[in-house]
């Protein structure tokens, strides 16, 4: 009798090990710390923490990976479309919010790919030289 129980336990352990190996191949594990009470707030909405995090991350990635497209040939109109794209992608609401050299470099590379680098530099110059409320806001 003890052998049958042992065989069942061994089969179960082997099955769990195979499931874990399969999960390692298909999934990545990320640790996330949330303020106390967040899990309960999420559960009250009928969601799971894992499900909510997955949906939010995938939604944000889709926005970040979306290429810039503008129907306008006019550079100024294309720049205005690009500003909307930047707000959606990076969250900047004003040209002057971009302060660090790393952020500027990232935004300049993006503007160059979109063909609006000159417009971006003009907007930054305008922001630095004048009252911010006279310049373009995202």
């Amino acid at each position: 009798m003890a052998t049958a129980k042992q065989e069942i336990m061994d089969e179960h352990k082997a099955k769990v090990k195979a499931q874990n190996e399969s999960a390692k191949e298909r999934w990545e594990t990320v640790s996330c710390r949330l303020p106390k009470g967040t899990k309960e707030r999420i559960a009250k909405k009928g969601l799971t923490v894992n499900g909510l995090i997955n949906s939010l991350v995938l939604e944000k990635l889709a926005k970040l990976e979306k290429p810039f497209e503008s129907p306008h040939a006019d550079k100024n109109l294309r720049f205005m479309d690009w500003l909307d794209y930047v707000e959606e992608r990076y969250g900047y609401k004003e040209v002057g919010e971009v302060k660090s050299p790393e952020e500027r470099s990232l935004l300049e590379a993006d503007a160059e790919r979109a063909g609006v680098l000159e417009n971006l530099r003009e907007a930054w110059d305008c922001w630095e030289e004048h009252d911010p409320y006279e310049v373009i806001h995202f």
Side-chain angles (χ1 to χ4, degrees):
M1 188 77 150
T3 329
K5 279 187 175 181
Q6 187 61 42
E7 287 177 13
I8 292 171
M9 288 297 293
D10 290 344
E11 283 180 32
H12 177 70
K13 285 180 183 179
K15 184 178 178 181
V16 168
K17 185 176 181 178
Q19 288 173 337
N20 288 340
E21 291 300 319
S22 176
K24 283 181 190 177
E25 291 175 14
R26 296 182 299 136
W27 298 96
E28 293 180 317
T29 301
V30 177
S31 176
C32 179
R33 293 178 189 231
L34 302 169
K36 285 275 187 190
T38 304
K39 286 170 54 173
E40 289 78 19
R41 289 172 60 199
I42 293 169
K44 284 180 185 176
K45 300 294 181 189
L47 303 169
T48 65
V49 174
N50 192 61
L52 180 60
I53 291 171
N54 270 311
S55 65
L56 293 172
V57 167
L58 294 175
E59 180 182 316
K60 183 66 174 182
L61 273 176
K63 285 181 182 178
L64 292 173
E65 293 170 347
K66 180 180 129 190
F68 168 70
E69 294 175 9
S70 174
H72 302 289
D74 177 271
K75 255 190 159 178
N76 290 324
L77 291 175
R78 197 165 67 234
F79 181 61
M80 297 306 290
D81 287 341
W82 184 76
L83 291 176
D84 291 338
Y85 161 81
V86 165
E87 181 178 2
E88 181 182 321
R89 183 171 182 166
Y90 300 107
Y92 302 126
K93 298 213 182 293
E94 298 176 354
V95 176
E97 285 184 19
V98 185
K99 301 284 188 207
S100 78
E102 294 82 15
E103 288 178 319
R104 278 189 171 228
S105 178
L106 179 68
L107 217 53
E108 283 182 339
D110 206 324
E112 188 171 24
R113 282 191 299 277
V116 295
L117 182 57
E118 279 179 36
N119 302 69
L120 176 63
R121 288 185 174 155
E122 287 172 15
W124 273 334
D125 290 344
C126 189
W127 182 272
E128 291 166 358
E129 294 173 11
H130 299 89
D131 180 350
Y133 296 101
E134 294 176 15
V135 298
I136 300 169
H137 295 269
F138 289 9

